[in-house]
Amino acid sequence: MSCRSLPVLDILNPGTAHGTVLKLSEPLSFWGGFNPVDGRIIDQSHPEVGKSITGTILALPGSRGSAGTPGGVAEALRRNVGPVAILLAQPDVNITIGAQVADHLYATETPVLALAEIEFAWLETGMQVTVSDVGVAIKEDGGIKS
Amino acid sequence: MRKTVQTVSGKPLNLSDYEQALLEGEAGEAMQFVMQLVVRAARIMDAPRLLETDYLHMDACHYYGRAHLDFARYLVNSNIRFGIRAWTNTVPASLIQKEVREEADAVVLKEARELADLYIAMGAKPVWTCAPYQLPGSPVFGEHIVVAESNAVSYFNSVIGARTNKYGDFLDVACGLTRRVPEAGLHTDKGRRAQIHIDLAKVPEELRETEFFCHVLGHLMGRVSGNRIPVITGLPAKTPKDSLKALAAAGAASGAIGLYHAVGITPEAPTLEAALQDRPAEAFYRVTPRNLVEARDSLSTTAGGSVDMVALGTPHFSFTEFARLMPLLDGRKIHSDVAFYVSTSRHVAALATQKGWIEALEKAGVTVLVDTCTYFTPAVRGCKGQVMTNSAKWAYYAPGMLPVKVAFGSLRDCVESAVRGEVARDPTTWSARHWGVSE
């Protein structure tokens, strides 16, 4: 078997993308906790502070706090410093609206998918994945758990 | 044939003919787009239908980046306008006063002002305040409304009994333009049930009557409640609106509180049982004097010393707060090393002007700032060093946003410190005994 496929709980924003997973261990606020100019996490209390999310398949539990998250997501996508796809452990309105607005205004295509927690748990930083409307395909040589 | 929309749990989202027509583009591409945003949110929130609304307090008018501007330009270029009361939150810098920081970015200021103009062009009422509930014509009990600013979400839900979720960027405007909100969360009876019971029986009664106490209680309530809806017992029946504002603002800052109940005070809590909708509380928290003193002290990041600035009016200063400030100043002058700011709305500033208060304040060395807040980056000069505030919300946010150390105190302490130029707290009201801690 060359691939493992994770089923999708819900397609929050449609699209296809492939890339390398960056998995965050905690939710992120895209306003205040993230810099939409350079794509880096700036929340000093966040475990992945300092990491760049640019070009990644960003896997995270959800967004935190601020109603500014949609603006932060849209601004990062406008500047091409956002992720190429977002995978969530539960549906998230603020992240989805940010991606949907960017896709409409800037003709980007940033899939946002919600996975069941048990499927989300399979994802690890460094995995090569393809995201589409049918699911998340993980390449076997991308560091999959055996 | 009509295409049905399913929510994330697989239930149908029932749309009216009007809603379906917008979604199919019958009112143009821009209206179709904003309806798509509302429907997308409704799917995720698992709403069975949309509810009508005719009030919006938007945060999208506050510039956070070019995407905000592009969104508004797109809507204005599509010639769509608000058909409901659409009021504006604060902006990064005043639109009518010249007060800005030396280091403020000229491009950001220009684009922030363009953004404000775009929403006026769309028919928004330019009130530029984070405390819209202080203005005439604001929502009443039972109305479904759209609010983004966290303290206003909590105040409207808790104190007024109007119903709103905390709406994020873009979705606030989309709901306002379509005049629809998803029937979910705090718009539903079930979503408003109290979950955590916070009891004040151990707190000295005299302390409970102060606004200073409500700032601290709000901060503590946010920390212990997290995402749960609190109901407070033991708050005095005559607790004034300014104290309820402090509770709303502090609780929404340190926690995610969009609604609190206070038995005998807020409209959905005539009794504890009513707030809990006749079910047991999921959690109980007894506030002790020690918890309170610890929460109070966590709001200061400096032990004392000189004061460079005093910041009042987060959320915006009310008319009654001005009325309390005036006798505290009583003809004295602010120390020449201290920048003293009071943030408020144009509406309240006009009322205070009629009373002669603004002139008296300026004479004393106070700057009254409208449209904005002192913790936004470009808003005021001299915001560095040590800042004294009576606002738990300001004390909570500012150290992460600005190069400042904060001293938290009562309104009286703020005035005394401003006159003396150094942190000066009333030893009686700050004492352990006053807060009920036995020595």
Side-chain angles (χ1 to χ4, degrees):
Chain A
M1 196 173 116
S2 64
C3 238
R4 182 189 178 91
S5 189
L6 306 180
V8 175
L9 184 70
D10 199 82
I11 300 160
L12 305 175
N13 197 49
T16 57
H18 56 266
T20 308
V21 170
L22 170 65
K23 189 173 183 180
L24 306 186
S25 33
E26 282 185 19
L28 179 68
S29 168
F30 285 81
W31 182 77
F34 167 74
N35 183 350
V37 177
D38 67 7
R40 287 185 187 279
I41 296 167
I42 56 171
D43 177 352
Q44 293 302 317
S45 66
H46 198 282
E48 283 82 30
V49 64
K51 289 231 161 78
S52 167
I53 68 168
T54 304
T56 66
I57 305 280
L58 185 67
L60 76 169
S63 67
R64 181 146 55 198
S66 171
T69 277
V73 170
E75 181 67 4
L77 294 173
R78 180 186 79 80
R79 290 175 176 271
N80 284 316
V81 298
V84 294
I86 300 172
L87 305 176
L88 295 159
Q90 57 178 27
D92 185 293
V93 172
N94 285 332
I95 288 176
T96 305
I97 295 290
Q100 192 181 0
V101 167
D103 286 0
H104 191 84
L105 293 180
Y106 308 117
T108 51
E109 184 183 282
T110 312
V112 181
L113 271 56
L115 307 182
E117 272 192 50
I118 194 163
E119 308 292 349
F120 184 83
W122 277 98
L123 297 167
E124 284 180 11
T125 293
M127 282 177 172
Q128 299 290 314
V129 305
T130 299
V131 174
S132 72
D133 292 357
V134 294
V136 179
I138 306 171
K139 270 195 198 162
E140 199 182 30
D141 56 5
I144 189 170
K145 287 176 191 172
S146 56
Chain B
M1 204 182 96
R2 179 180 280 208
K3 211 173 89 183
T4 56
V5 178
Q6 285 194 330
T7 69
V8 285
S9 71
K11 290 182 213 143
L13 169 63
N14 296 299
L15 298 176
S16 70
D17 290 344
Y18 159 79
E19 293 153 5
Q20 193 70 35
L22 291 193
L23 198 57
E24 283 164 12
E26 286 176 27
E29 189 209 89
M31 282 304 283
Q32 180 179 33
F33 170 53
V34 290
M35 194 55 168
Q36 284 168 346
L37 293 176
V38 176
V39 166
R40 191 73 65 87
R43 281 194 67 239
I44 297 173
M45 297 164 89
D46 212 13
R49 62 185 179 126
L50 305 179
L51 298 168
E52 285 186 38
T53 180
D54 69 357
Y55 178 84
L56 162 67
H57 181 254
M58 72 178 84
D59 196 43
C61 56
H62 188 117
Y63 183 87
Y64 294 108
R66 182 73 58 79
H68 274 75
L69 193 56
D70 289 339
F71 180 72
R73 281 175 176 160
Y74 166 77
L75 297 173
V76 169
N77 291 339
S78 307
N79 282 318
I80 58 178
R81 289 174 63 87
F82 291 108
I84 60 171
R85 290 172 294 163
W87 294 7
T88 54
N89 198 359
T90 49
V91 283
S94 175
L95 298 165
I96 47 177
Q97 294 169 319
K98 292 200 162 49
E99 188 80 13
V100 290
R101 273 183 203 139
E102 292 87 341
E103 69 272 23
D105 184 324
V107 175
V108 168
L109 283 176
K110 185 178 154 286
E111 294 196 343
R113 286 174 175 157
E114 182 188 343
L115 183 64
D117 287 339
L118 287 170
Y119 280 107
I120 295 174
M122 284 169 66
K125 185 174 175 182
V127 297
W128 317 119
T129 181
C130 56
Y133 42 81
Q134 294 172 352
L135 273 50
S138 72
V140 296
F141 181 85
E143 271 190 70
H144 290 285
I145 60 175
V146 184
V147 182
E149 158 61 41
S150 70
N151 96 80
V153 168
S154 181
Y155 193 95
F156 277 129
N157 274 318
S158 311
V159 182
I160 306 297
R163 297 183 171 207
T164 178
N165 284 311
K166 187 172 190 295
Y167 288 93
D169 289 333
F170 312 125
L171 184 59
D172 56 354
V173 169
C175 289
L177 288 168
T178 58
R179 293 181 281 128
R180 291 295 185 276
V181 290
E183 185 184 47
L186 295 173
H187 288 286
T188 69
D189 289 343
K190 199 176 138 209
R192 299 174 71 82
R193 188 175 69 221
Q195 293 154 308
I196 176 169
H197 175 192
I198 296 180
D199 182 58
L200 302 180
K202 298 265 186 204
V203 179
E205 287 188 25
E206 197 188 337
L207 180 67
R208 292 186 221 169
E209 288 168 7
T210 64
E211 182 189 318
F212 187 36
F213 163 74
C214 282
H215 278 277
V216 176
L217 177 63
H219 180 65
L220 182 63
M221 178 172 84
R223 291 203 315 205
V224 302
S225 302
N227 290 321
R228 293 171 297 191
I229 297 171
V231 54
I232 307 164
T233 49
L235 207 58
K238 60 181 178 188
T239 301
K241 294 282 196 286
D242 293 327
S243 296
L244 299 176
K245 174 184 82 162
L247 259 178
S254 66
I257 297 177
L259 162 65
Y260 68 87
H261 300 286
V263 173
I265 299 169
T266 60
E268 288 160 73
T271 62
L272 177 63
E273 291 71 26
L276 289 164
Q277 297 181 12
D278 296 315
R279 289 171 54 155
E282 292 166 18
F284 177 75
Y285 184 85
R286 173 163 284 147
V287 178
T288 68
R290 279 194 193 283
N291 303 146
L292 277 176
V293 169
E294 189 274 321
R296 180 195 74 184
D297 292 349
S298 77
L299 290 167
S300 294
T301 56
T302 177
S306 64
V307 171
D308 301 290
M309 176 173 145
V310 171
L312 304 180
T314 303
H316 276 170
F317 229 46
S318 68
F319 182 76
T320 45
E321 284 175 300
F322 274 110
R324 279 168 43 224
L325 174 63
M326 298 314 294
L328 293 175
L329 260 169
D330 194 25
R332 291 183 297 170
K333 281 224 181 300
I334 303 303
H335 193 282
S336 58
D337 294 341
V338 179
F340 192 124
Y341 290 100
V342 182
S343 308
T344 190
S345 63
R346 295 179 184 188
H347 174 78
V348 170
L351 297 177
T353 301
Q354 284 172 15
K355 285 274 181 189
W357 293 343
I358 303 290
E359 199 188 334
L361 286 169
E362 283 170 355
K363 230 182 204 169
V366 173
T367 302
V368 177
L369 197 65
V370 300
D371 303 344
T372 188
C373 182
T374 41
Y375 63 57
F376 297 136
T377 317
V380 296
R381 293 180 200 283
C383 190
K384 48 184 181 276
Q386 303 219 104
V387 183
M388 188 130 187
T389 183
N390 73 333
S391 162
K393 178 173 178 169
W394 204 98
Y396 180 80
Y397 279 129
M401 300 169 82
L402 300 166
V404 296
K405 289 196 165 174
V406 176
F408 174 71
S410 68
L411 182 64
R412 180 184 293 271
D413 293 340
C414 287
V415 172
E416 284 304 320
S417 303
V419 170
R420 296 190 202 178
E422 59 179 19
V423 177
R425 296 190 181 99
D426 182 335
T428 309
T429 55
W430 196 259
S431 69
R433 178 192 296 240
H434 184 74
W435 288 74
V437 179
S438 48
E439 280 142 306

